[in-house]
Amino acid sequence: MKLTSEKLPKNPFYTSQGAAKNQKFVQWIKEKNDHYNHANLMDKALQILKERITKGDAMASFLRGQLYFEEGWYEEALEQFEEIKEKDHQATYQLGVMYYDGLGTAANAEKGVEYMKKIIDSPCPKARHLQFAAAYNLGRAHYEGKGAKRSYEEAERLWLFAADNGNPKASVKAQSILGLYYSTKEPKELEKAFYWHSEACGNGNLESQGALGLMYFYGQGIRQDTEAALHCLREAAERGNVYAQGHLVEYYYKMKFFTKCVAFSKRIADYDEVHDIPTIAQVTGCLPEFISRGMAMASFYYARCLQLGLGITKDEATAQHYYSQACRLNPTLSDELHALLIHQRI
């Protein structure tokens, strides 16, 4: 299971005046986006931030670094955050993410871990809102064995701290990852998995909403409930959960709703795996691994419909293309589906 970093949490420590000023700046960007091309808008925004920095506005220095970061100008962001890291905990946090993930610099997991530990160990009240997210990231490091000793027990301990009993102001990502962790570890602890996915879903996590749908569907950690399963899967699919979309494709096929299966599966199968997977992951917060699984599932069932002429004109050559795509996206899942096909269960 390849994990991703926790995004920078919102800062509750802005003064009302500072928050209002920064909110106005963000609103200004949104409004002007309708009238200026993006490059000109960024130039203007950076000019305004430079003027605010010159006037001694400390927050403007971080905002400039964050603007660079969100635009994908990672080298510039790294330089800006390095400049202010001793006086801005948010900059320290972002540096931890950037060094661990290799954004704007060569990956240096040890350095990334060092910055996250600084956040967790800081007694400063202004670092407090970052500590749950930093604990999630440090747990990730122990889980992956990068920059820290591999230890699933330590990863679990840190994620439980980060999840804070389902607190919506804690790390919702940690709550969701605990759901995944308990459903994949050996031996599995499915009731715990269901609990944490429920907490994360209640706090808005899209990955966990899809996972809950599957747990209801197969009766894992909870009594089987097809109605609840389809409700979760459909809602998650509408919100952009590609893994949930892939499972709905499978459901439509098995229920012999072939026209619906074809229309839905083709749209998912035709996502661009190079560009769309990272974009969908960034927008939805879902793990790329599960996005590619959803795409593989859709590709396989679309290929099967093409091969047999179910809900669409039979086209074996195109079917072979989508079978190959499914295999490329997720070989293990494709092998499992092919085995079902051979045993005439699909």
Side-chain angles (χ1 to χ4, degrees):
M1 185 167 62
K2 185 172 175 55
L3 306 180
T4 54
S5 294
E6 176 79 283
K7 289 182 180 179
L8 180 76
K10 292 181 180 179
N11 187 351
F13 289 95
Y14 289 165
T15 63
S16 57
Q17 183 178 1
K21 185 190 295 184
N22 291 323
Q23 184 60 40
K24 285 180 181 178
F25 176 71
V26 172
Q27 187 61 35
W28 178 86
I29 290 180
K30 289 180 179 177
E31 290 172 356
K32 296 299 182 184
N33 206 22
D34 295 333
H35 304 287
Y36 297 95
N37 69 51
H38 191 71
N40 289 341
L41 182 60
M42 289 301 102
D43 286 343
K44 184 64 177 176
L46 290 170
Q47 181 183 337
I48 292 172
L49 288 172
K50 184 177 180 181
E51 291 170 0
R52 285 175 56 177
I53 292 168
T54 302
K55 293 177 182 178
D57 185 342
M59 181 54 65
S61 295
F62 172 77
L63 288 174
R64 181 164 69 178
Q66 188 63 14
L67 184 60
Y68 287 144
F69 182 89
E70 291 175 0
E71 287 297 302
W73 303 342
Y74 295 125
E75 292 182 5
E76 291 86 348
L78 191 78
E79 184 179 350
Q80 181 67 59
F81 291 144
E82 284 282 9
E83 186 179 313
I84 61 173
K85 65 184 179 183
E86 297 302 329
K87 51 189 177 183
D88 193 308
H89 296 291
Q90 294 183 114
T92 302
Y93 180 91
Q94 290 293 65
L95 285 171
V97 169
M98 296 181 78
Y99 278 113
Y100 192 91
D101 290 336
L103 302 175
T105 182
N108 186 333
E110 289 78 9
K111 198 167 185 177
V113 164
E114 180 185 333
Y115 280 121
M116 291 302 164
K117 285 182 176 178
K118 281 185 178 181
I119 295 294
I120 293 172
D121 295 338
S122 174
C124 179
K126 291 185 177 181
R128 195 169 297 145
H129 73 289
L130 300 167
Q131 288 174 334
F132 290 130
Y136 161 79
N137 288 330
L138 189 55
R140 175 195 175 191
H142 282 287
Y143 181 84
E144 296 177 337
K146 290 172 55 180
K149 182 181 178 182
R150 185 186 294 276
S151 170
Y152 296 143
E153 292 78 10
E154 183 64 6
E156 180 184 6
R157 184 189 72 80
L158 285 160
W159 288 338
L160 287 168
F161 168 79
D164 194 33
N165 295 314
N167 177 2
K169 294 182 179 179
S171 172
V172 177
K173 194 177 187 77
Q175 295 163 16
S176 181
I177 290 301
L178 281 167
L180 289 173
Y181 172 71
Y182 287 125
S183 62
T184 54
K185 69 186 287 286
E186 291 297 340
K188 295 178 180 178
E189 298 182 67
L190 294 176
E191 290 185 2
K192 286 185 179 180
F194 183 84
Y195 169 80
W196 281 112
H197 278 312
S198 297
E199 293 297 307
C201 178
N203 290 327
N205 186 275
L206 181 54
E207 190 106 75
S208 283
Q209 187 175 34
L212 278 180
L214 293 175
M215 296 190 83
Y216 274 120
F217 199 87
Y218 295 107
Q220 297 177 334
I222 189 69
R223 180 178 57 83
Q224 188 175 23
D225 186 335
T226 303
E227 185 178 344
L230 291 174
H231 174 77
C232 285
L233 288 172
R234 284 172 177 151
E235 198 166 281
E238 287 174 6
R239 294 175 60 203
N241 184 320
V242 178
Y243 194 46
Q245 292 171 3
H247 278 278
L248 280 176
V249 165
E250 182 175 60
Y251 173 76
Y252 294 145
Y253 182 91
K254 290 182 177 179
M255 295 299 292
K256 299 185 179 180
F257 301 152
F258 296 124
T259 302
K260 195 169 188 177
C261 177
V262 166
F264 199 32
S265 62
K266 185 179 189 308
R267 178 167 62 82
I268 302 161
D270 285 346
Y271 288 147
D272 185 299
E273 60 188 281
V274 175
H275 299 103
D276 288 343
I277 290 178
T279 300
I280 293 169
Q282 184 176 16
V283 171
T284 64
C286 294
L287 293 174
E289 176 184 341
F290 288 96
I291 296 170
S292 64
R293 281 191 199 180
M295 289 173 61
M297 189 172 288
S299 298
F300 185 90
Y301 280 103
Y302 183 56
R304 185 63 172 160
C305 288
L306 283 165
Q307 183 184 18
L308 300 179
L310 301 172
I312 192 172
T313 303
K314 188 173 181 180
D315 186 339
E316 294 193 13
T318 305
Q320 188 56 49
H321 164 77
Y322 283 99
Y323 277 135
S324 298
Q325 177 171 288
C327 188
R328 184 175 66 251
L329 284 163
N330 195 303
T332 302
L333 176 62
S334 295
D335 286 347
E336 292 172 0
L337 292 172
H338 272 291
L340 293 174
L341 189 154
I342 290 168
H343 290 91
Q344 298 184 339
R345 294 175 62 187
I346 292 180

